[in-house]
Amino acid sequence: NPSNSQLFTCNPGAGYSTNSGDCNDNNADIHPGATEICNGFDDNCNNQVDEGNVCCPAGGILYVKANATGLNNGISWAIAFTSLQSALASPCPGITQIWVAAGTYYPDEGAGQTDNDRNASFVMKNGVAIFGGFPNTGNPSMTDRNWANNPTILSGDIGTVGDNSDNSYRVINNDGNGLNNTAIL
């Protein structure tokens, strides 16, 4: 009270923060200055979730599976991206491969795309190989890859099924993006 000449202080006790910037009073590991980890939370209270490269895989492979659950950050089959666009848009450095499980993938899904955008296309990246044909269950490895038994389809049928008048103009569009022979599909 500014009109009162007496000064009062109190100690809030253990478990309480004197920092009003603490964004989660229910979790002691989440606080300003905490190390950001890949967990779907804003660990360091800077209004960004899993920023930087904390959700990047160590092995250079991103995973895509249409029915994956969890964080969907692509670092394993269990928490794979659900769209190929999201994997292609990943800011992770050192990605050399994208493994895609059996399923149908559309260029207007994921990574900020707008549904039914006929201009949306998959755009490949130099130095990145996209491999389809992985089973849609378990933790398949490259030896489990079989594109005949596990078809991975990149489809431009983004509108009404069977109506060609609302399909993507191009499913894959690498025109003018400087693509070279280090990009593999």
Side-chain angles (χ1 to χ4, degrees):
N1 183 346
S3 63
N4 190 336
S5 62
Q6 293 181 337
L7 177 63
F8 296 96
T9 62
C10 68
N11 182 348
Y16 291 90
S17 172
T18 58
N19 181 342
S20 64
D22 189 3
C23 60
N24 188 336
D25 291 333
N26 296 319
N27 187 331
D29 295 332
I30 298 176
H31 58 83
T35 300
E36 190 71 34
I37 59 174
C38 184
N39 60 2
F41 296 107
D42 177 13
D43 298 295
N44 57 9
C45 299
N46 68 350
N47 295 319
Q48 297 179 39
V49 175
D50 298 339
E51 72 270 10
N53 294 328
V54 299
C55 289
C56 292
I61 300 172
L62 290 176
Y63 300 88
V64 179
K65 184 166 65 169
N67 63 350
T69 60
L71 293 177
N72 300 123
N73 59 21
I75 64 174
S76 71
W77 284 118
I79 52 176
F81 286 117
T82 56
S83 73
L84 177 56
Q85 281 293 22
S86 294
L88 288 167
S90 170
C92 290
I95 299 302
T96 58
Q97 297 180 14
I98 298 174
W99 291 12
V100 187
T104 302
Y105 301 88
Y106 303 93
D108 67 334
E109 293 179 341
Q113 298 295 317
T114 304
D115 283 346
N116 299 327
D117 179 0
R118 297 185 73 195
N119 292 305
S121 299
F122 295 111
V123 178
M124 296 170 62
K125 290 181 165 182
N126 285 330
V128 177
I130 302 169
F131 295 104
F134 291 93
N136 202 1
T137 58
N139 261 338
S141 67
M142 191 58 86
T143 58
D144 299 313
R145 181 174 177 246
N146 182 322
W147 56 87
N149 292 337
N150 306 302
T152 301
I153 301 164
L154 306 183
S155 174
D157 197 358
I158 61 171
T160 305
V161 176
D163 179 2
N164 293 337
S165 69
D166 58 2
N167 288 355
S168 293
Y169 293 119
R170 293 184 179 101
V171 176
I172 298 174
N173 185 7
N174 295 316
D175 188 29
N177 68 346
L179 202 66
N180 61 37
N181 64 357
T182 64
I184 299 169
L185 178 63

